[in-house]
Amino acid sequence: MSQLLIPSVAAGALIVGGSAIVYHSRRQMRRFRERMRAFRESESERRYRLLFEQNPLPTWVYDTETHRFLAVNAAAVAHYGFTREEFLAMTIFDICFPEDVPALTAALAEPSLSHTSYRRTRHRRKDNSVIDVDVAAHVVTWDGRPARLVLATDVTGRMRAERELRQAHEMVTTLLDAAPVAIVAIDMESRVTMWNRSAESLFGWTADEVLGAPLPIIAEESREEFARLRRELILGRRTEAYETRRRRKDGSLVDVYISAAPLTNGAGEVDGGVALFLDVTERRRLEEQLRQSQKLEAVGQLAGGVAHDFNNLLTVIRVNCEFLTAEAERRNSPSDEIAEIRGAAERAAALTRQLLAFSRKQILQPRIVDAAAVTAGIAPMLRRLLGEDIEVVLESRGDTRVLADPGQLEQVLVNLGVNARDAMPHGGRLTIETRLVELDEHYAEQRHVVVPGYYVMLAVSDTGSGMDRTTREHVFEPFFTTKEPGRGTGLGLSTVYGIVRQSGGYIWVYSEPGQGTTFKIYLPRELDDTEPGELAEAVSPMPHGSESVLVVEDQEGIRTLARRVLGRQGYRVLEARHGADALQLVSETGVAVDLLLTDIVMPTMGGRALVDCLRAQRPELRVLYMSGYTESEMLRRGLWDGCAPFLQKPFTAHELARAVRSALDGHAIGCANLQSATARDAAS
């Protein structure tokens, strides 16, 4: 058996396929190696070109010096529309969108371009359509020259979808923010995920304060109700509208209608809920006004019917008393018993007349009268009736002509005067003001029975003990009285109510315990052929502004009205329920307030005290006071110094806008002028 000899490489031997091939020179060895390397390179290039050509993405190679195309694949030809020959005659700038050429030039000059790079740009196809592409470029050597291999991914459809999704999201966000109802969404842990602008207005928190935080609006008394609502959402059930209460940032509660529905993810699983809240506070207030009005109407109808029947009985009693009296006189034997019966019948007849006045079934004889003149005429009698310890002050401004029965108007003043006297057992002041006012649509929204228009206001203010809320709600009801038995029938104010309503007017009461009472009567103004300057002023555009206004008012309706009117005029409006609430708001937020619009008489802290506290920090703060009491009463009681501007309720949107602009601009009546004017009115 022969031995297999394998010479060393140094001796010129190579093992190929298990056989020994002996080369007798190193030159042959080098040639073989070169052929093998060329074979491998050609095979690698063949495979590379195959992958290049069959790549589904548009792919090309360009010269890094001339930027000319060196090669393009079939996908590039198909996607861009140029033939291969057209591509090879162009540079990469020829397919670049013209506006993007400067950016491409700058990118090619970056040192980092020697490595793999990625960018998003726009390309132009042969039909001049523009596509968005993601470009990935890699350094390569092509036919011995430096080049870059580029893969282009068309993302036009994806970017269009992203834009449409973004637009849809922006539209939904805009719709949610524009929605007139509060919309709130939470996740499964009751953390807030959505909070629109109406939610900010209704509850007081901004979106930045609540997003991602636990839902803050659940009042302690509503915990169980919220737990039931959350269980329904988890089970995937909708909850139709029902009434409940939710908490505001200032701690107050708001009545709302709530509708809720579950939110699901892509897998159809419940991962949260969304609720719509409708503020029904104003609706409930109007419903309460309507119920009160309907109650008074019903009581009035009953009183009218009773008075009618009672008058029939009294007629029989009085006629028979006259017969008996005549018979007694004929016999010359007068009877005290008959006189007592006749006196009682007369007093009963007076009561029935009051009942008829309340039920608005008495006969009126209206004519055009000057309310100020009627007031001046009845003043001497009022002074005698009320006594020397009660000062009677008259004030009048503007055209105060109305269509009314002067006798009934005098009865109104007498009844209100007597009622004020009983509230001031130790003396005081009774102020009667008459002036022209406008009740506009905004005021009519607060008082559902009011027809917008011009009225003569007749305000009767006392400095007595005032009334609490319960008393105010029942003050016009027949036979309601806070006096001890034997000191009143409870028909005085109900008679006033009936006369005013039968005359086509309205009456409201403003009162706080310890702060006296103001009755405001609004009678339709009797117009002549020439309209006064107030009408021309009312239709002028309302002034705008961009300053910050802090509205401090304990009545929700007034705060809402002020926020709506001033917000529409461009002001930034903040709200607080009373003085202490306003101080806390300013302290916590650090907001720079340009104007303080505050009620004077409020619980916890009044307007004057609030102004003193805020001006200790900002002496330049501008102030506009407002009150349902008249400005003269505020001045006399020391609740207003007469130097700061004053806005009397009710006010119109125009009056509010003008007063705010005037206060911000620094226009106000001087203290001395106002006090001297008040002194002249008092003397008259």
Side-chain angles (χ1 to χ4, degrees), residues 203-205 247-253 559 575-577 581:
F203 299 115
W205 287 279
R247 187 170 69 95
R248 285 191 172 114
K249 184 179 181 180
D250 60 10
S252 63
L253 297 179
R559 286 205 312 272
E575 301 175 57
R577 292 180 301 164
D581 193 17

Side-chain angles (χ1 to χ4, degrees), residues 361-422:
K361 292 181 179 178
Q362 60 183 341
I363 298 176
L364 298 182
Q365 296 178 336
R367 57 187 176 88
I368 298 177
V369 296
D370 187 340
V374 174
T375 302
I378 198 69
M381 188 186 77
L382 277 177
R383 290 188 174 96
R384 291 192 300 271
L385 180 65
L386 302 184
E388 296 181 355
D389 58 346
I390 295 180
E391 178 187 7
V392 178
V393 180
L394 305 183
E395 297 179 358
S396 177
R397 278 180 286 174
D399 185 358
T400 59
R401 287 172 297 166
V402 296
L403 182 65
D405 186 323
Q408 297 297 324
L409 198 55
E410 290 177 350
Q411 184 179 349
V412 165
L413 293 171
V414 170
N415 285 6
L416 291 177
V418 171
N419 191 74
R421 180 195 63 189
D422 295 338

Side-chain angles (χ1 to χ4, degrees), residues 40 60 92 102 165 218 250 255 325 418 456 494 541 548 583 592 656:
R40 285 194 298 269
W60 55 80
I92 59 175
L165 181 61
I218 307 304
D250 60 10
D255 298 301
T325 299
V418 171
V456 171
S494 61
S548 296
L583 290 178
L656 174 60

Side-chain angles (χ1 to χ4, degrees), residues 214-286:
L215 186 64
I217 62 176
I218 307 304
E220 191 62 35
E221 63 187 51
S222 303
R223 295 286 177 187
E224 185 176 345
E225 170 257 318
F226 175 70
R228 289 195 303 269
L229 175 62
R230 188 172 180 274
R231 285 195 297 270
E232 292 295 307
L233 293 176
I234 292 174
L235 294 174
R237 299 172 183 165
R238 299 173 61 90
T239 301
E240 299 303 327
Y242 69 94
E243 188 171 344
T244 184
R245 309 186 88 186
R246 289 292 182 261
R247 187 170 69 95
R248 285 191 172 114
K249 184 179 181 180
D250 60 10
S252 63
L253 297 179
V254 57
D255 298 301
V256 294
Y257 273 129
I258 177 174
S259 296
L263 294 175
T264 56
N265 55 25
E269 301 168 337
V270 175
D271 62 358
V274 62
L276 279 67
F277 298 90
L278 177 63
D279 184 359
V280 295
T281 305
E282 185 70 8
R283 174 177 169 180
R284 291 189 63 179
R285 187 182 65 79
L286 292 176

Side-chain angles (χ1 to χ4, degrees), residues 37-229:
R37 185 168 56 252
F39 172 77
R40 285 194 298 269
E41 288 178 355
S42 64
E43 182 66 16
S44 175
E45 184 176 351
R46 186 184 68 81
R47 292 177 180 175
Y48 179 80
R49 289 183 181 275
L50 182 63
L51 291 173
F52 175 85
E53 186 63 30
Q54 293 183 353
N55 192 340
L57 294 177
T59 309
W60 55 80
V61 178
Y62 72 90
D63 189 311
T64 57
E65 294 181 359
T66 64
H67 303 125
R68 300 188 70 84
F69 288 99
L70 300 177
V72 293
N73 70 348
V77 171
H79 200 71
Y80 283 78
F82 299 102
T83 65
R84 197 179 303 272
E85 291 73 18
E86 288 172 329
F87 258 120
L88 296 179
M90 298 189 303
T91 69
I92 59 175
F93 292 106
D94 293 322
I95 66 169
C96 183
F97 188 65
E99 294 181 5
D100 295 342
V101 169
L104 176 60
T105 303
L108 293 175
E110 292 180 2
S112 61
L113 197 64
S114 58
H115 308 290
T116 300
S117 61
Y118 304 91
R119 61 192 302 265
R120 176 166 291 180
T121 185
R122 290 176 292 179
H123 282 169
R124 179 181 60 84
R125 297 196 288 193
K126 186 174 182 178
D127 61 2
N128 285 324
S129 61
V130 179
I131 59 174
D132 297 291
V133 291
D134 282 342
V135 172
H138 310 272
V139 174
V140 296
T141 300
W142 191 269
D143 292 336
R145 69 180 71 177
R148 292 185 72 82
L149 172 68
V150 176
L151 284 78
T153 304
D154 188 345
V155 294
T156 307
R158 187 175 72 192
M159 291 189 65
R160 183 187 302 114
E162 290 176 354
R163 284 194 298 269
E164 291 174 352
L165 181 61
R166 206 162 39 244
Q167 291 171 356
H169 180 267
E170 292 173 355
M171 179 179 293
V172 170
T173 301
T174 302
L175 289 174
L176 291 176
D177 278 342
V181 296
I183 302 177
V184 178
I186 58 173
D187 60 18
M188 296 302 289
E189 284 72 40
S190 298
R191 292 188 297 262
V192 179
T193 58
M194 182 174 63
W195 188 269
N196 72 341
R197 293 188 185 276
S198 292
E200 292 183 349
S201 300
L202 178 58
F203 299 115
W205 287 279
T206 65
D208 292 338
E209 291 176 309
V210 298
L211 287 176
L215 186 64
I217 62 176
I218 307 304
E220 191 62 35
E221 63 187 51
S222 303
R223 295 286 177 187
E224 185 176 345
E225 170 257 318
F226 175 70
R228 289 195 303 269
L229 175 62

